Amino acid sequence: KHLWSIPRNFRHCAIPSDSSSLTRVTSAIVDFLAVMPRALELPEDFSSKTPTSSTVHSVVTDLTIRFSPSNVPPSSCELDPRKWRRIEKELYQYTSLTTAWLYVELADEEEIAAQDLLVIVDIAVGESPSNCQPGRSWEGRPCGIWLLRSKYPGQKDRAVTAVDILFGIDAVDPRPRWALMQSSLQLHAQPEAPVARLSILRGRVEPPPPDAQTALRVRKDGTFKIVQISDTHMVTGVGVCKDAIDARGKNLPESEADPLTVDFIGKILDAERPDLVVLTGDQLHHDISDSQSALFKVLAPIIDRSIPFAAVFGNHDSEGDHALSRKSLSFRKVANSQS
């Protein structure tokens, strides 16, 4: 991983002012975007195996973590699949002789009303929370998880509707309405294992209409600026920056890689203020343990600035025992995606 793994020679295209040339260039940009693979959305693997793929009326009613020896398949100690969903992310990131899996119990609104079920309205991690309304108490779960449950308030915005896991002290969640918890799960994992953190969704994010893509427009001065970002090689956790040099070419000591890369991307975007960002492959390093956590770090500075973007994938994006397959790298829409 190199400090200057992102190209520094960014270009913008000056578009001629006469109408025929403008039409040709605009058409070329549209054609370019049309042929690019669908990209920079949530991989289907994530959506099909986490609570976000359940019925649109689902609400989270409970959480737990199940442990088993690493040589025992998790299906052998599965909870009732009619009620529980396993988040397909091993919490120790395959660094321990024990495996740990987060299970989320879901129920739809009709079940909640018929069975008078409690739903989760708040989640904390760490020490037992002290803030609680009279008549309600926090319930402990494994690994320092605390749940506050109550009767269903009838408004989804006041209840937890989905839970996910992201890894690393530098993890981010750019998805609308998702909130990443600062405290990590108390797993007592190996030092090399990135910390596991819960990310919580309250309410429901309505899918954007088919015509909701941000319109790409030429500027008043006849220009359209594209920033290309390539070979970020993000990992699960902060990673290690090797062969770094300062402005004078002097070697620097090894440091945390991904935070430097994210900071550099942000500085480039602020300096260039592009109309479009195109990610051109190897966003992820090969053989990383959680592709979603790594990919979100690349997307966050772009989404935070509301810049339209598109992407293609390189060979490293799907390499490794735990990487997403090429099929899984077909994505659903996220904010500002033009793919």
Side-chain angles (χ1 to χ4, degrees), residues 185-264:
L185 297 180
Q186 298 173 359
L187 290 164
H188 307 293
Q190 297 295 323
E192 65 269 21
V195 297
R197 298 162 62 186
L198 296 180
S199 193
I200 310 301
L201 175 67
R202 285 184 173 84
R204 182 160 54 94
V205 179
E206 297 291 344
D211 59 349
Q213 286 185 332
T214 303
L216 300 178
R217 300 184 183 279
V218 175
R219 300 181 185 185
K220 291 182 179 180
D221 64 357
T223 63
F224 186 90
K225 182 180 288 189
I226 299 174
V227 162
Q228 175 196 0
I229 300 176
S230 178
D231 294 277
T232 54
H233 284 270
M234 308 300 278
V235 299
T236 310
V238 296
V240 178
C241 184
K242 300 179 179 179
D243 304 322
I245 58 175
D246 63 16
R248 298 180 180 180
K250 182 180 178 181
N251 290 331
L252 297 174
E254 291 186 356
S255 57
E256 295 178 345
D258 285 6
L260 288 174
T261 301
V262 172
D263 180 66
F264 182 59

Side-chain angles (χ1 to χ4, degrees), residues 89-93 165-171 187 194-197 236-237 289-290 293-294 297:
K89 298 182 180 183
E90 204 282 297
L91 299 181
Y92 288 117
Q93 294 286 273
I165 293 284
L166 295 175
F167 294 92
I169 59 174
D170 62 332
L187 290 164
V195 297
R197 298 162 62 186
T236 310
S289 53
D290 184 56
S293 297
K297 290 187 287 188

Side-chain angles (χ1 to χ4, degrees), residues 126-142:
E127 299 297 326
S128 175
S130 57
N131 59 320
C132 195
Q133 297 178 5
R136 299 163 67 180
S137 60
W138 290 88
E139 304 173 33
R141 296 293 184 270

Side-chain angles (χ1 to χ4, degrees), residues 160-173:
V160 175
T161 54
V163 180
D164 201 357
I165 293 284
L166 295 175
F167 294 92
I169 59 174
D170 62 332
V172 291
D173 196 336

